[in-house]
Amino acid sequence: GDPRRRRFRTRMGGIGYDLLPEPSPTRALYEWPALTRFVAALTGEAELHTCADPLASCVISVLEPGGMHAWHYDQNDFVVSLLLQSAARGGEFEYAPNIRSEEDENYEGVRRMLDGDPGLRKTGAITPGCLALFRGRRSLHHVTEVEGTRPRLIALFSYDKKPGMMFRPEVHLRALGRTLAE
């Protein structure tokens, strides 16, 4: 019954920050200091920083038909997403807002949510062009399976309260299929 023992599938691709060309509009938006200040103001933080990670600071997640992103928590404090293209069907963002805290992992609540408790699971209504702010460190979330012929494309901009934030190698491998050493 422990929710940490459950297995979920992930099938996704990703375009890393290092592969986004310098004049890319997506990269320019992420690197724009005014956006970082705006995200800090929205979150009530005195200061936020773009991540220092050369691979995963800004990623375009690609979910082809049959693709999905398993239930997970984020490693960083804030993610801003920009949906570039929705899937023909599926590809819904589902989450359990603030289901855990610094003091309590709330495994019982996570179990109930994964078992389908409708009071704990929400669906994010995002459409192409929508810029969404999400605190994924405390909110369990995933993307449902993409159906049809059109892939789901979403840019993910990572921010943190501390400068120099880097993702773990397993995050690189899961999101991009490679690590810094490759």
Side-chain angles (χ1 to χ4, degrees):
D2 188 323
R4 293 173 291 179
R5 294 181 179 253
R6 296 194 187 185
R7 292 189 173 275
F8 300 97
R9 280 183 354 135
T10 290
R11 183 174 168 231
M12 64 180 220
I15 301 168
Y17 185 57
D18 61 327
L19 298 179
L20 297 177
E22 288 288 334
S24 158
T26 302
R27 187 173 178 142
L29 183 61
Y30 176 65
E31 294 172 352
W32 187 32
L35 180 61
T36 304
R37 289 190 304 273
F38 179 66
V39 172
L42 287 176
T43 60
E45 297 296 332
E47 186 175 34
L48 282 180
H49 305 273
T50 55
C51 290
D53 195 300
L55 296 183
S57 294
C58 174
V59 170
I60 297 178
S61 174
V62 180
L63 293 177
E64 297 281 351
M68 74 224 37
H69 196 176
W71 287 102
H72 67 284
Y73 294 103
D74 292 337
Q75 179 181 337
N76 51 314
D77 291 320
F78 303 98
V79 172
V80 171
S81 63
L82 174 62
L83 187 62
L84 304 172
Q85 177 176 284
S86 59
R89 291 183 312 283
E92 299 295 325
F93 178 72
E94 294 182 330
Y95 62 104
N98 299 309
I99 198 163
R100 71 175 182 174
S101 68
E102 291 285 338
E103 300 78 32
D104 182 13
E105 290 291 332
N106 188 17
Y107 295 124
E108 177 56 26
V110 170
R111 184 197 58 75
R112 286 193 342 265
M113 189 280 305
L114 292 174
D115 286 344
D117 184 330
L120 295 172
R121 188 182 294 192
K122 310 286 184 216
T123 300
I126 57 174
T127 57
C130 179
L131 196 66
L133 173 69
F134 186 67
R135 294 178 187 244
R137 187 186 298 266
R138 298 290 162 230
S139 301
L140 192 61
H141 56 286
H142 81 135
V143 178
T144 64
E145 185 172 349
V146 168
E147 301 172 22
T149 58
R150 187 173 59 235
R152 179 184 192 266
L153 305 173
I154 191 163
L156 303 170
F157 305 156
S158 295
Y159 299 91
D160 206 84
K161 296 175 195 175
K162 299 177 190 137
M165 188 272 182
M166 296 283 291
F167 287 97
R168 297 184 310 263
E170 55 268 23
V171 172
H172 292 150
L173 198 55
R174 188 173 54 245
L176 301 166
R178 60 193 171 102
T179 63
L180 283 170
E182 296 175 22

